């Protein structure tokens, strides 16, 4: 059974003992590629694009984690190696084509090599999220899952007008509250399940760790050009931190159970 050696562990954590009810995840935090896979047959310019990672979200996630004292669990490897927000049995888990870019290193990948990527990166990441949730629930700690992402300003030639979107599937309570708070800011175009909607076929973190565990949850997508530099990341982290604190006061703290 083949193994995929990794120079860096797949899971990055911050504030493991954070007191906040919010548990932050970042599926596309990094863009590392295991040495054994080279550059997947791509030039550096492609590996710096959104197809490889969620540009800007790492800086936002780190800052929100620090400001809220919230546990952050993030994934260091490129989504082109294996996408940690896709069910591992779908084609987009290890894409041979991402947007209009062919990924030579993923073409014709054997089931054994795909399984090696899953064992090395996907499984440790999601096992750690599950362990963290188990520990919190065992301690009867309020736990609210927030999955942080970024999206491209233009996709397939179509301009996306939203600055930010809240994403959900079966659990609309938190996303709808966050949607209202973001729209009340007065300077934002906010998407309701835009630019993406969560589903069991296209997502993994929210359906498996949020919905299946009965946790209050939301996905957040921020447009990349707004968080491409440190100033934008700091601004958005400050905004989200302020809104999360309001949500904790008005929605989370008074409740003894979460759905």
């Amino acid at each position: 059974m083949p193994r995929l050696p990794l120079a860096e562990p797949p899971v990055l954590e911050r504030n493991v003992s954070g007191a906040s009810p919010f548990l932050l995840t970042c599926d596309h935090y990094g863009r590392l590629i295991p040495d054994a896979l080279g550059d997947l047959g791509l030039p550096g310019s492609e590996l710096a694009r959104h197809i490889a990672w969620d540009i800007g979200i790492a800086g936002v996630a780190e800052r929100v984690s620090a400001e809220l004292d919230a546990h952050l669990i993030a994934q260091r490897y490129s989504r082109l190696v294996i996408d940690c927000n896709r069910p591992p049995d779908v084609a987009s888990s290890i894409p041979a084509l991402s947007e209009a870019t062919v990924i030579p290193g993923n073409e014709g990948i054997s089931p054994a090599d795909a399984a090696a990527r899953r064992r090395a990166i996907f499984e440790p990441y999601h096992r750690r999220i599950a362990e963290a949730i188990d520990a919190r629930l065992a301690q009867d700690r309020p736990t609210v899952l927030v999955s942080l992402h970024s999206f491209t300003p233009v996709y397939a030639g179509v301009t996306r007008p939203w600055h930010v979107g809240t994403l959900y599937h079966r659990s609309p309570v938190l996303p709808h509250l966050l949607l209202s708070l973001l729209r009340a800011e007065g300077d934002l175009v906010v998407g309701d399940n835009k630019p993406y909607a969560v589903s069991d076929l296209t997502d993994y973190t929210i359906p498996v760790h949020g919905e299946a565990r009965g946790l209050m949850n939301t996905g957040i997508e921020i447009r990349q050009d707004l968080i491409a530099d440190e100033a934008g990341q700091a601004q958005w982290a400050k905004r989200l931190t302020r809104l999360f604190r309001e949500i904790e006061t008005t929605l989370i703290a008074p409740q003894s159970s979460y759905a």
Side-chain angles (χ1 to χ4, degrees), residues 11-16 18 20-27 29 57-75 125 128-129 132-133 136 143-149 174 205 215-216 218 220 237 240-241 244:
V11 181
L12 176 146
E13 295 188 72
R14 298 285 186 259
N15 282 335
V16 175
S20 173
F22 293 99
L23 174 62
L24 310 177
T25 62
C26 201
D27 305 325
Y29 174 101
I57 204 61
V60 175
E62 295 261 8
R63 287 169 171 84
V64 173
S65 172
E67 289 296 320
L68 283 179
D69 191 25
H71 187 183
L72 168 65
I73 303 177
Q75 201 285 112
Y125 174 62
R128 183 63 193 114
I129 296 173
I133 293 171
R136 295 174 72 104
T143 301
V144 179
L145 181 68
V146 177
S147 183
L148 296 166
H149 295 265
L174 178 57
T205 299
L215 301 180
M216 188 179 295
T218 190
I220 296 176
L240 290 180
T241 297
F244 284 150

Side-chain angles (χ1 to χ4, degrees), residues 64-136:
V64 173
S65 172
E67 289 296 320
L68 283 179
D69 191 25
H71 187 183
L72 168 65
I73 303 177
Q75 201 285 112
R76 287 186 170 99
Y77 284 83
S78 173
R79 65 199 301 171
L80 295 179
V81 177
I82 187 166
D83 193 323
C84 284
N85 193 38
R86 296 289 184 274
D89 57 347
V90 302
S92 57
S93 169
I94 301 176
L97 180 71
S98 184
E99 296 180 11
T101 300
V102 173
I103 317 300
N106 291 347
E107 291 187 300
I109 184 172
S110 71
D113 286 339
R117 296 192 195 185
R118 185 170 64 249
R119 286 192 303 271
I121 296 171
F122 182 95
E123 291 177 1
Y125 174 62
H126 287 290
R127 183 166 57 246
R128 183 63 193 114
I129 296 173
E131 290 170 349
I133 293 171
D134 287 344
R136 295 174 72 104

Side-chain angles (χ1 to χ4, degrees), residues 103-187:
I103 317 300
N106 291 347
E107 291 187 300
I109 184 172
S110 71
D113 286 339
R117 296 192 195 185
R118 185 170 64 249
R119 286 192 303 271
I121 296 171
F122 182 95
E123 291 177 1
Y125 174 62
H126 287 290
R127 183 166 57 246
R128 183 63 193 114
I129 296 173
E131 290 170 349
I133 293 171
D134 287 344
R136 295 174 72 104
L137 296 182
Q139 298 165 11
D140 200 26
R141 290 187 57 190
T143 301
V144 179
L145 181 68
V146 177
S147 183
L148 296 166
H149 295 265
S150 70
F151 68 95
T152 55
V154 178
Y155 182 77
V158 179
T159 299
R160 291 161 153 176
W162 311 283
H163 298 102
V164 62
T166 64
L167 279 59
Y168 57 94
H169 187 204
R170 301 176 181 89
S171 306
V173 174
L174 178 57
H176 283 176
L177 175 58
L178 183 58
L179 183 75
S180 297
L181 292 173
L182 286 164
R183 286 177 172 169
E185 296 281 279
D187 61 342

Side-chain angles (χ1 to χ4, degrees), residues 182-201:
L182 286 164
R183 286 177 172 169
E185 296 281 279
D187 61 342
L188 300 174
V189 179
V190 187
D192 181 354
N193 255 345
K194 302 289 186 181
Y196 310 106
V198 174
S199 80
D200 294 332
L201 296 178

